Amino acid sequence: GVGVSVLCPGVVATNLAATTVKAGGSLREGMERMTEGGIAPAAVGEMVARGIETGRLYIMTHTEEGWPVRPRFERILAGYAAD
């Protein structure tokens, strides 16, 4: 069969800021500092490999940061309970 996984990364230490500027894009304030403080790409790769091997649909790199989506998910779930 075919498996699908969705990577939901938090801050990853990449050269995204430099690549964005090189491609003619602009940066949001603090973007350079943000990527510098991220987790290593190799660690993300390990998370992805482990997630695919175990059949996980969603692969989250920063599970402690789930709080921003919680209110939205609670509203969605409340919709199922509505009369």
Side-chain angles (χ1 to χ4, degrees):
V2 175
V4 175
S5 294
V6 179
L7 174 62
C8 301
V11 179
V12 180
T14 67
N15 64 350
L16 180 62
T19 303
T20 299
V21 171
K22 186 176 182 180
S26 60
L27 301 179
R28 291 184 298 179
E29 185 176 333
M31 187 174 174
E32 289 177 332
R33 288 186 310 275
M34 186 172 69
T35 56
E36 290 171 1
I39 62 174
V44 175
E46 291 174 13
M47 291 176 190
V48 170
R50 193 169 44 252
I52 291 171
E53 289 169 356
T54 59
R56 290 183 61 189
L57 174 58
Y58 293 103
I59 302 169
M60 311 291 191
T61 61
H62 294 71
T63 56
E64 69 279 3
E65 294 179 10
W67 62 267
V69 297
R70 188 168 316 245
R72 179 171 187 253
F73 289 162
E74 288 173 355
R75 290 191 306 274
I76 292 169
L77 291 173
Y80 285 102
D83 292 334

